[in-house]
């Protein structure tokens, strides 16, 4: 088993380069299924979820290999339409294969997705959307069986602007002649990136980034090379780390527009922010102050994926802070762990009230999900004494070698192998 061992208290200083966005890479990898040919995805990062998606693709018959940092996926001939439970359950993004397999092969058998346990995470909108477009969808014994019947382009209104459902339906709609419109769709930058990928492959998707995305289906997609956007959540995590530890952090490869909400809260917390093209420079002006309130919501509101890290920040910011989680009902596994480190947090029904403390203290803690795990790393970096974090496989889902990046900035953090049996919940 691996753990992080962190000695807190070092100021972070220097430059950090942001990697490609996990939440763009995974749907784009699934989308490659639509293309009878070779897809080159540039600058692919070896997140553990990326390797899990490669396993799914190879099981379908894809040939997948690396050329330096580029991932080549050749889906010229697929031999299976099935995503078995052992491949689907390690990650949430396995569900992105439903739309593309159905579109390309006409039928699919796919197990329910897994991923971080941060709430119920239903997939009803993915399934009702597919049904609406004319697929027959049956749920039986832990599997979803879907088959193309009379597929018809039409308007689909989502009851919630789900990122995953928008992406799945966009991909499914590419195989249906005519115009499908997804109304009340998600507007996240990763949706725009997927639309750009489909368009570069010869498809026609308009309106991505607005409330209505329109897909003109029936166009044959061709081989392409594509570079996904960078990870706004990784950028945000490093900015919050800079705010918490002090020093000057230069975050390269970040798009300031995509982190507007975060930047305004960091400015409230007494940080100075300077943006130059794709670089964000953060310095702290004296003592951290409360950012007041954050409330998570669909883009462009405050991202749920940065909520846990902001909770870590609030626990050492002078004054009271309020954090309201509106997207995932149980995104709270980090709260008890932060309290073990001295944070004064009251948490009920997705609302956290934080009373900022002068210091956190090192403790033995355990990650319960990806972003909550990242919040413990941040807390460890500022805590007095040393912190150990178990279950870091959660953190590896969405950060590649986070410890190396923090070490390069001056943090004292090591990945260590430990003998003890850990109740390891991530697969
Ligand atoms: C994606 C991101 C995840 C991020 C989330 C919200 C990827 C790989 N993951 O997850 O990092 O935290 O967006 O920004 O891109 N819902 C339903 N029915 C559905 C689908 C969703 O009720 O069929 C609800 C969920 O329970 C949740 C909300 O919609 O409350 C948001 O989920 P969704 O936007 O679909 O998130 P994911 O695509 O799972």
């Amino acid at each position: 088993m691996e753990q992080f061992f962190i000695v807190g208290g070092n100021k972070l200083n220097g430059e950090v380069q942001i990697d490609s966005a996990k939440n763009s890479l995974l749907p784009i990898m699934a989308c490659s299924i639509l293309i009878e040919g070779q897809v080159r995805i540039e600058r692919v990062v070896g997140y553990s979820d990326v390797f899990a998606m490669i396993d799914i693709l190879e099981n379908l018959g894809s040939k997948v290999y690396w050329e330096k940092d580029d991932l080549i996926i050749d889906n010229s001939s697929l031999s299976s339409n099935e995503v078995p439970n052992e491949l689907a359950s390690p990650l949430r993004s396995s569900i992105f294969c439903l739309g593309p397999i159905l579109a390309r092969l006409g039928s699919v058998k796919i197990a329910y997705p897994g991923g971080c346990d941060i709430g119920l995470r239903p997939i009803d909108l993915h399934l009702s959307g597919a049904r609406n477009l004319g697929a027959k969808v049956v749920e039986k014994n832990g599997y979803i069986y879907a088959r193309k019947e009379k597929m018809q382009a039409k308007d689909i209104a989502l009851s919630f602007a789900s990122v995953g459902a928008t992406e799945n339906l966009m991909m499914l709609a590419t195989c249906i002649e005519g115009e499908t419109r997804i109304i009340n769709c998600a507007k996240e930058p990763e949706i725009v990136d997927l639309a750009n990928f489909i368009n570069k492959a010869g498809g026609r998707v308009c309106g991505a980034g607005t409330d209505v995305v329109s897909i003109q289906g029936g166009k044959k997609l061709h081989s392409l090379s594509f570079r996904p956007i960078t990870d706004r959540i990784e950028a945000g995590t490093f900015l919050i780390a800079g705010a918490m530890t002090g020093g000057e952090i230069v975050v390269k490869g970040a798009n300031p527009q995509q982190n507007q909400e975060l930047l305004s809260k960091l400015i409230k917390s007494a940080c100075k922010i300077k943006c130059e093209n794709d670089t964000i420079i953060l310095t702290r002006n004296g003592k951290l102050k409360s950012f007041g309130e954050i409330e998570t919501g669909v883009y462009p509101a405050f991202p749920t994926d940065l909520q846990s890290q902001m909770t870590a920040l609030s626990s050492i910011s002078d004054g009271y802070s309020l954090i309201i989680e509106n997207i995932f009902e149980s995104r709270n596994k980090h709260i008890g762990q932060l309290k073990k480190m001295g944070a004064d947090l009251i948490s009920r029904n997705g609302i956290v009230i934080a009373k900022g403390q002068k210091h956190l203290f090192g403790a033995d803690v355990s990650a319960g999900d990806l972003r909550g795990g990242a919040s413990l790393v941040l807390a460890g970096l500022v805590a007095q004494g040393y912190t150990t974090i178990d279950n870091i496989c959660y953190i590896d889902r969405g950060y590649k070698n986070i410890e190396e990046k923090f070490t390069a900035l001056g943090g004292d953090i090591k990945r260590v192998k430990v003998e003890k049996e850990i109740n390891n919940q991530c697969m």
Side-chain angles (χ1 to χ4, degrees):
M1 288 298 158
E2 289 182 331
Q3 269 186 347
F4 282 142
F5 182 87
I6 307 174
V7 182
N10 291 3
K11 269 191 182 175
L12 299 185
N13 268 301
E15 267 184 35
V16 59
Q17 176 66 41
I18 298 308
D19 285 323
S20 299
K22 168 182 93 69
N23 290 352
S24 263
L25 281 172
L26 294 166
I28 285 170
M29 288 172 74
C31 194
S32 74
I33 294 169
L34 292 170
I35 297 166
E36 270 184 67
Q38 189 176 289
V39 172
R40 174 185 290 268
I41 311 176
E42 296 170 23
R43 293 202 188 159
V44 174
V45 186
Y47 302 120
S48 55
D49 275 9
V50 162
F51 289 110
M53 186 61 93
I54 292 175
D55 290 344
I56 291 176
L57 293 172
E58 287 181 335
N59 191 63
L60 296 171
S62 314
K63 291 186 184 58
V64 186
Y65 55 95
W66 294 88
E67 276 183 8
K68 295 198 174 137
D69 290 343
D70 294 356
L71 190 70
I72 320 294
I73 306 174
D74 189 338
N75 288 324
S76 301
S77 58
L78 297 179
S79 49
S80 165
N81 70 345
E82 192 174 329
V83 184
N85 184 50
E86 65 272 21
L87 297 181
S89 61
L91 73 169
R92 172 75 181 171
S93 302
S94 53
I95 193 63
F96 294 145
C97 296
L98 182 141
I101 299 177
L102 181 58
R104 166 94 184 260
L105 302 175
S107 66
V108 57
K109 175 184 175 189
I110 185 167
Y112 287 100
C116 287
D117 177 14
I118 50 180
L120 284 176
R121 308 192 84 176
I123 51 167
D124 56 312
L125 299 173
H126 301 240
L127 303 189
S128 61
R131 284 190 184 104
N132 241 311
L133 291 172
K136 182 169 166 65
V137 182
V138 175
E139 296 176 76
K140 204 168 140 194
N141 301 334
Y143 277 85
I144 300 146
Y145 296 80
R147 202 174 60 231
K148 274 191 195 168
E149 296 221 315
K150 283 199 183 107
M151 304 303 281
Q152 198 168 9
K154 58 162 71 146
D155 283 359
I156 295 183
L158 298 180
S159 55
F160 183 87
S162 152
V163 175
T166 302
E167 292 172 333
N168 229 338
L169 297 174
M170 267 166 71
M171 295 189 276
L172 178 57
T174 57
C175 78
I176 307 171
E177 291 282 348
E179 186 188 22
T180 295
R181 292 195 314 158
I182 309 171
I183 296 161
N184 188 32
C185 64
K187 297 182 283 207
E188 271 68 0
E190 294 77 18
I191 304 276
V192 178
D193 215 29
L194 181 63
N196 288 340
F197 175 83
I198 295 172
N199 288 340
K200 195 171 179 197
R204 182 128 188 262
V205 181
C206 304
T210 72
D211 291 317
V212 181
V213 67
S214 141
I215 304 103
Q216 197 69 46
K219 310 214 179 302
K220 195 164 165 60
L221 303 188
H222 53 69
S223 292
L224 77 158
S225 184
F226 189 82
R227 179 178 295 181
I229 55 170
T230 54
D231 200 306
R232 62 195 164 98
I233 305 303
E234 189 196 16
T237 304
F238 278 96
L239 289 167
I240 298 167
M244 288 174 71
T245 59
E248 182 179 275
I249 296 263
V250 180
V251 179
K252 306 221 49 126
N255 181 339
Q257 290 304 325
Q258 294 171 357
N259 263 323
Q260 283 299 332
E261 280 293 310
L262 172 70
L263 297 182
S264 70
K265 295 299 172 186
L266 291 175
I267 290 167
K268 267 195 145 177
S269 298
C271 295
K272 204 170 120 209
I273 305 280
K274 202 167 137 205
C275 300
E276 291 167 358
N277 303 323
D278 69 344
T279 300
I280 306 175
I281 303 164
L282 177 143
T283 41
R284 198 173 89 193
N285 288 330
K287 239 164 83 172
L288 265 181
K289 283 198 242 149
S290 160
F291 50 73
E293 178 183 326
I294 59 169
E295 185 164 352
T296 66
V298 296
Y299 190 82
F302 197 91
T304 173
D305 284 355
L306 286 173
Q307 177 262 101
S308 315
Q309 300 88 317
M310 286 300 266
T311 306
L313 177 114
S314 71
S315 62
I316 52 160
S317 300
D318 195 30
Y320 287 87
S321 310
L322 181 65
I323 299 130
I324 305 172
E325 171 58 51
N326 289 319
I327 305 292
F328 293 112
E329 61 277 16
S330 355
R331 190 157 227 175
N332 52 19
K333 295 201 173 58
H334 53 294
I335 305 278
Q337 305 299 303
L338 289 172
K339 281 176 154 182
K340 261 174 106 172
M341 300 178 74
D344 186 347
L345 306 171
I346 299 171
S347 162
R348 200 152 300 149
N349 300 331
I351 298 177
V352 175
I353 299 169
K355 182 180 175 202
Q357 304 298 296
K358 254 203 167 113
H359 301 289
L360 295 179
F361 302 95
D364 296 330
V365 292
S366 183
D369 66 82
L370 162 56
R371 306 302 172 186
S375 77
L376 300 179
V377 172
L378 304 187
L381 287 167
V382 291
Q384 291 188 342
Y386 71 85
T387 295
T388 66
I389 307 178
D390 289 346
N391 273 323
I392 59 174
C393 45
Y394 282 118
I395 302 169
D396 293 335
R397 278 188 172 158
Y399 299 90
K400 176 72 181 157
N401 296 334
I402 195 172
E403 73 280 16
E404 287 175 15
K405 288 189 171 181
F406 276 125
T407 302
L409 292 171
D412 189 345
I413 169 169
K414 287 182 187 63
R415 184 182 290 258
V416 291
K417 291 223 180 312
V418 283
E419 293 293 318
K420 71 172 177 170
E421 264 308 300
I422 293 170
N423 179 18
N424 182 8
Q425 293 129 15
C426 54
M427 306 172 69

